[in-house]
Amino acid sequence: LIQGYGFAVGSLVAPVWPGTVGDSAMRDDKARKKFLDAVKVACRIAGVFNKHGVRKYGVIRIDSAEFGVAEWRKDPRANTKRIAETFREAAKIAADHGERLAAEGEICWAGMHSWKAMLAVLEGVNRPQTLGFQADMAHTLHYLLGTNAPEDRILPESFSWSDTATFTQ
């Protein structure tokens, strides 16, 4: 049906969030199992699209499915480690299905809320062939501004958008 309209399927989003198939990547084993089950579901769906030739490229996007940073901040080191462990297991699932994952750089997800936190997760996973990173321009700008992690901001607090006039000419 999709091909009949001349469309193709590219990247997919794994339903990792609580209330869907998944749950938090940093919480207890039960939540983590649900997260990994959501990755399996996305890989199976990708496989169907691949088999029928409607999907020839793309990744499966994931995030930590832990909304906000409050819980993460209670123990950043342990929570980052837990997210990385879950993502590493998810990367193995994806690789076993011939897929690749992309961690979505959105500042609302714990452990992904700043460029430094995201880098720590990616380094903890250490599967660069299977897990990459993707962020849209708006979230990249939030990383630069340190929206959810002022300590990680790249642009100075005094930054003004009017300073960017020289970049647009």
Side-chain angles (χ1 to χ4, degrees), residues 72-88:
W72 177 87
R73 284 200 169 123
K74 291 178 180 176
D75 192 346
R77 186 174 301 230
N79 288 326
T80 296
K81 182 179 178 186
R82 193 81 160 154
I83 293 167
E85 288 169 353
T86 306
F87 281 15
R88 191 176 316 110

Side-chain angles (χ1 to χ4, degrees), residues 43-96:
C43 287
R44 284 196 297 271
I45 292 169
V48 170
F49 288 143
N50 296 343
K51 178 182 172 189
H52 291 285
V54 72
R55 181 173 179 264
K56 297 178 175 93
Y57 55 85
V59 295
I60 296 173
R61 297 186 326 235
I62 61 171
D63 56 56
S64 67
E66 180 65 42
F67 188 77
V69 297
E71 286 299 313
W72 177 87
R73 284 200 169 123
K74 291 178 180 176
D75 192 346
R77 186 174 301 230
N79 288 326
T80 296
K81 182 179 178 186
R82 193 81 160 154
I83 293 167
E85 288 169 353
T86 306
F87 281 15
R88 191 176 316 110
E89 291 179 46
K92 181 177 180 340
I93 291 166
D96 289 348

Side-chain angles (χ1 to χ4, degrees), residues 5-156:
Y5 288 102
F7 295 131
V9 174
S11 293
L12 305 174
V13 178
V16 294
W17 315 281
T20 63
V21 177
D23 207 332
S24 173
M26 72 173 219
R27 299 229 179 201
D28 61 20
D29 289 343
K30 182 179 177 183
R32 292 177 66 238
K33 181 186 180 318
K34 289 173 76 175
F35 182 98
L36 296 170
D37 286 345
V39 173
K40 289 176 189 172
V41 166
C43 287
R44 284 196 297 271
I45 292 169
V48 170
F49 288 143
N50 296 343
K51 178 182 172 189
H52 291 285
V54 72
R55 181 173 179 264
K56 297 178 175 93
Y57 55 85
V59 295
I60 296 173
R61 297 186 326 235
I62 61 171
D63 56 56
S64 67
E66 180 65 42
F67 188 77
V69 297
E71 286 299 313
W72 177 87
R73 284 200 169 123
K74 291 178 180 176
D75 192 346
R77 186 174 301 230
N79 288 326
T80 296
K81 182 179 178 186
R82 193 81 160 154
I83 293 167
E85 288 169 353
T86 306
F87 281 15
R88 191 176 316 110
E89 291 179 46
K92 181 177 180 340
I93 291 166
D96 289 348
H97 285 85
E99 293 293 335
R100 293 176 302 127
L101 302 175
E104 282 194 272
E106 295 191 10
I107 64 162
C108 57
W109 301 113
M112 306 176 79
H113 60 282
S114 80
W115 69 271
K116 278 189 178 179
M118 186 72 254
L119 185 59
V121 168
L122 292 170
E123 288 175 342
V125 174
N126 195 25
R127 301 275 314 248
Q129 300 303 317
T130 311
L131 177 66
F133 175 75
Q134 172 185 316
D136 60 36
M137 183 57 92
H139 285 95
T140 300
L141 290 173
H142 281 290
Y143 277 174
L144 295 172
L145 294 168
T147 303
N148 275 342
E151 66 279 8
D152 295 342
R153 73 181 304 132
I154 294 171
L155 295 172

